[in-house]
């Protein structure tokens, strides 16, 4: 019997798992981590995905694609906020769909997402020692039909038959084991890189039904990072009379420092951002 993998295609990080002896086993990447950064980069004719793509982002800000999940299945007209946040170029494709342009080459959001799925598929095949042809992929409960279709298309481009698209709150409840001993209404909240959403599930006889869901698509980890970035940029402009927004490489350095500070603030009351030589002068943030 062919094995089916489960893919959590996240805004910031992604993961892949397989059932082993009745339990879900998260498959480590070839780099040895359980999470794979949802990052794709194009540099000198080479394509990088995951950890390697993220490592070179500072030196290649316009050629590094991250948070693609924010754009999947969406129209270009709906991406004003993302255009201000993301370092790469977002353009209008066929039927006004959002696309990504790198070095004059246009990519659909499905194509970029498929590259991340291909990486996860390859890691799973290396771990299991067999070819993987089928997968289940999770999506936010608020994803509309076009976003779900785009996610399914991404899997197919990656060479995977997507057996089912499952709502993330349902997947979370299953992972928690609520299908085994619970019935009734439960609430699942999901805070991700791109969104914060809350869903009410009705569990009856092992069947999960999403009764209601509400989310804010601009209240995830990326948005927290952006608040820190904006604060740093404005303080630097006030004290140094210098606008870092005009320097893509400097902005990428600030973006990485902001994310690191946010993570530190999960366990500490304060976090320090120190970026020397952020601008000519030399000027330090």
């Amino acid at each position: 019997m062919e094995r089916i993998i489960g893919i959590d295609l996240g805004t910031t990080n992604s993961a892949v798992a397989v059932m082993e002896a009745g339990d879900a086993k998260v498959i480590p990447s070839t780099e040895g981590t359980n999470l794979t950064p949802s990052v794709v980069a194009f540099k000198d004719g080479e394509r990088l995905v995951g950890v390697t793509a993220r490592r070179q982002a500072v030196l290649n800000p316009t050629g590094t694609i991250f948070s693609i999940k924010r754009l999947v299945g969406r129209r270009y007209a709906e991406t004003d906020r993302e255009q201000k946040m993301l370092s790469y170029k977002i353009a209008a494709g066929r039927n006004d769909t959002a696309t990504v342009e790198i070095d004059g080459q246009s990519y659909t959001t499905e194509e970029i997402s498929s590259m991340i799925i291909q990486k996860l598929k390859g890691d799973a095949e290396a771990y299991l020692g067999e070819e993987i042809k089928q997968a289940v992929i999770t999506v936010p409960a608020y994803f509309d039909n076009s976003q779900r279709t785009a996610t399914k298309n991404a899997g197919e481009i990656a060479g995977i038959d997507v057996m089912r698209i499952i709502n993330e709150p349902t997947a979370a409840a299953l992972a928690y084991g609520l299908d085994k001993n619970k019935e009734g209404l439960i609430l699942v909240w999901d805070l991700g890189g791109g969104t914060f959403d809350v869903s009410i599930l009705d569990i009856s006889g092992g069947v999960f039904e999403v009764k209601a869901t509400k989310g804010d698509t601009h209240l995830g980890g990326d948005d927290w990072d952006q608040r820190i970035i904006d604060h740093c940029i404005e303080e630097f402009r006030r004290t140094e009379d210098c606008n870092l927004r005009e320097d893509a490489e400097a902005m990428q350095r600030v973006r990485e420092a902001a994310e690191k500070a946010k993570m530190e603030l999960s366990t500490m009351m304060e976090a320090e951002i120190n970026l020397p030589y952020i601008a000519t002068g030399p000027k330090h943030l």
Side-chain angles (χ1 to χ4, degrees):
M1 180 178 175
E2 289 186 354
R3 295 219 240 186
I4 300 176
I5 56 173
I7 293 176
D8 177 5
L9 192 61
T11 304
T12 311
N13 295 291
S14 295
V16 59
V18 68
M19 294 299 291
E20 287 189 345
D23 293 317
K25 161 74 175 176
V26 176
I27 297 173
S29 68
T30 51
E31 293 82 18
T33 60
N34 284 347
L35 294 176
T36 295
S38 302
V39 182
V40 176
F42 297 88
K43 187 176 183 182
D44 301 327
E46 185 181 6
R47 188 177 82 196
L48 305 171
V49 182
V51 173
T52 53
R54 186 165 189 171
R55 277 196 199 122
Q56 56 80 68
V58 168
L59 299 177
N60 182 29
T62 58
T64 303
I65 303 165
F66 55 93
S67 298
I68 194 65
K69 187 173 177 178
R70 283 179 174 266
L71 304 175
V72 166
R74 296 180 62 193
R75 293 184 296 112
Y76 175 75
E78 300 172 327
T79 64
D80 287 349
R81 192 159 177 175
E82 281 72 21
Q83 290 178 51
K84 296 173 184 175
M85 287 178 60
L86 304 175
S87 58
Y88 51 88
K89 184 178 180 181
I90 303 169
R94 184 182 300 176
N95 299 323
D96 194 43
T97 55
T99 61
V100 174
E101 282 193 9
I102 305 291
D103 295 331
Q105 177 74 35
S106 181
Y107 299 90
T108 65
T109 56
E110 291 98 323
E111 287 174 323
I112 299 299
S113 297
S114 75
M115 296 170 191
I116 300 168
I117 294 173
Q118 279 179 330
K119 161 69 172 160
L120 298 170
K121 175 178 181 286
D123 288 348
E125 289 174 338
Y127 176 84
L128 298 170
E130 62 185 80
E131 185 180 4
I132 297 296
K133 298 180 180 178
Q134 299 176 322
V136 171
I137 301 179
T138 63
V139 298
Y142 66 84
F143 257 28
D144 60 25
N145 187 58
S146 65
Q147 290 170 304
R148 291 168 188 268
T149 300
T151 301
K152 191 172 189 292
N153 291 343
E156 292 171 353
I157 294 171
I160 283 182
D161 183 11
V162 181
M163 305 301 290
R164 184 168 295 181
I165 297 289
I166 294 183
N167 287 329
E168 288 170 359
T170 301
L174 285 167
Y176 194 68
L178 293 178
D179 56 317
K180 296 181 176 66
N181 53 16
K182 294 280 186 180
E183 290 210 350
L185 291 175
I186 65 164
L187 181 144
V188 178
W189 63 270
D190 181 6
L191 177 59
T195 187
F196 174 78
D197 60 49
V198 175
S199 300
I200 295 176
L201 308 184
D202 186 5
I203 305 177
S204 179
V207 176
F208 289 69
E209 182 184 358
V210 178
K211 303 295 288 187
T213 188
K214 182 66 176 176
D216 188 330
T217 56
H218 294 98
L219 192 59
D222 284 354
D223 303 284
W224 296 6
D225 296 347
Q226 192 62 42
R227 285 298 183 97
I228 300 173
I229 292 167
D230 291 342
H231 172 72
C232 291
I233 297 301
E234 292 309 313
E235 281 293 298
F236 193 75
R237 194 210 304 258
R238 183 179 62 81
T239 59
E240 300 289 346
D241 192 28
C242 177
N243 185 10
L244 292 178
R245 296 188 193 279
E246 298 170 356
D247 185 336
E249 189 172 312
M251 284 298 296
Q252 188 62 37
R253 287 182 65 191
V254 175
R255 180 173 286 107
E256 290 193 359
E259 182 185 18
K260 182 173 178 285
K262 174 196 66 179
M263 293 165 70
E264 289 177 3
L265 290 169
S266 295
T267 53
M268 301 167 63
M269 294 303 295
E270 293 183 355
E272 181 177 321
I273 291 179
N274 183 11
L275 297 173
Y277 301 100
I278 194 73
T280 55
K283 296 181 178 181
H284 317 294
L285 191 154

